[in-house]
Amino acid sequence: MTEKQDEKAKLIINSARKLFSVYGFKKTTMDEIALGAGKAKSSLYYYFASKEDVFTAVVEQESELLNETMQKAISKHNNSIDQLREYVYIRLKSINTMTNYSKALRDDILSNYVFISKIRKKYYIKEMETVTAILENGVKNEKFEMKDIHLSARALVTIIKGIEIPLTIDRQKKNLKKEVDDLMDIVFYGIVAR
């Protein structure tokens, strides 16, 4: 794509992002996306073959933004324990601002779409890579001790997914940072008396 074509595609993605956030994937139409972008509906199909392709582009944009935010936050810490805490905190803090991304990961209604399964799988792989890298670094620097890094990463990713909705539903009444710290203390130190 030329730079001009790339800018037009971004305009369409930004229009679609707003509409999908408000109305959801199913209720948003290509006509509304075209209107929001100031384009003819037929010109949308020059850039995207279907509404699914537009939604995928929107979710990928939000995913990249979230990943950049997390990587920047993680890189501020040298200690693997702090990196993992920061990763969990930023992920939980950001997930609700990435409306379409969040819907793609959580919404059971959307799970019937093949393209959503691909989005979820791609995100899971990226999340596993990030958590695994933090754990490997922690083992190397003797901050963590574990028998199976991959299994530990999978367990942590599962825990994070399991708590994201309960911890982010009612944010104004909760101190998310403190709750993440408390949760990570359980993860790091367990519940067994020593």
Side-chain angles (χ1 to χ4, degrees):
M1 257 192 236
T2 67
E3 190 175 320
K4 189 175 180 180
Q5 290 171 324
D6 195 41
E7 287 302 314
K8 288 180 181 179
K10 285 179 185 176
L11 182 67
I12 294 166
I13 291 168
N14 289 333
S15 170
R17 182 179 184 191
K18 292 172 192 168
L19 290 165
F20 288 137
S21 293
V22 174
Y23 302 109
F25 171 75
K26 288 183 86 172
K27 291 184 181 177
T28 301
T29 66
M30 289 294 270
D31 288 324
E32 292 166 331
I33 295 169
L35 184 64
K39 303 282 177 208
K41 181 180 171 182
S42 59
S43 68
L44 262 63
Y45 290 104
Y46 177 78
Y47 301 98
F48 302 97
S50 65
K51 184 170 75 166
E52 289 85 356
D53 287 349
V54 177
F55 189 76
T56 299
V58 167
V59 171
E60 285 178 355
Q61 181 189 62
E62 290 182 359
S63 172
E64 287 172 20
L65 181 62
L66 177 59
N67 194 47
E68 286 172 21
T69 302
M70 285 192 291
Q71 294 303 325
K72 203 179 286 185
I74 290 168
S75 68
K76 291 179 182 178
H77 300 279
N78 294 327
N79 182 319
S80 300
I81 293 171
D82 293 336
Q83 288 177 338
L84 194 55
R85 283 182 194 275
E86 193 68 15
Y87 172 80
V88 174
Y89 174 68
I90 294 297
R91 185 189 182 286
L92 293 174
K93 180 180 169 193
S94 301
I95 198 76
N96 282 341
T97 61
M98 309 290 173
T99 310
N100 299 297
Y101 185 59
S102 179
K103 285 178 185 173
L105 295 179
R106 295 183 191 167
D107 198 334
D108 288 336
I109 294 168
L110 289 178
S111 66
N112 294 329
Y113 294 99
V114 173
F115 76 100
I116 294 293
S117 295
K118 290 179 183 176
I119 290 170
R120 288 177 178 176
K121 183 175 182 177
K122 184 176 178 180
Y123 176 71
Y124 175 76
I125 290 168
K126 191 179 287 187
E127 191 165 25
M128 282 292 294
E129 288 170 353
T130 302
V131 173
T132 300
I134 293 170
L135 294 180
E136 285 173 343
N137 189 45
V139 169
K140 180 179 149 192
N141 294 317
E142 299 179 352
K143 295 290 182 186
F144 300 137
E145 185 180 315
M146 60 196 73
K147 293 176 185 175
D148 186 334
I149 291 173
H150 187 75
L151 180 61
S152 298
R154 194 167 23 160
L156 285 168
V157 168
T158 302
I159 289 168
I160 296 165
K161 286 180 188 215
I163 63 165
E164 78 182 8
I165 294 174
L167 284 185
T168 59
I169 285 176
D170 192 14
R171 283 173 134 171
Q172 55 273 32
K173 293 184 181 175
K174 296 180 179 177
N175 180 342
L176 184 62
K177 184 77 167 167
K178 181 179 177 348
E179 288 197 29
V180 167
D181 285 343
D182 292 346
L183 172 74
M184 295 314 294
D185 284 344
I186 293 168
V187 169
F188 293 142
Y189 310 112
I191 57 174
V192 176
R194 295 177 196 266

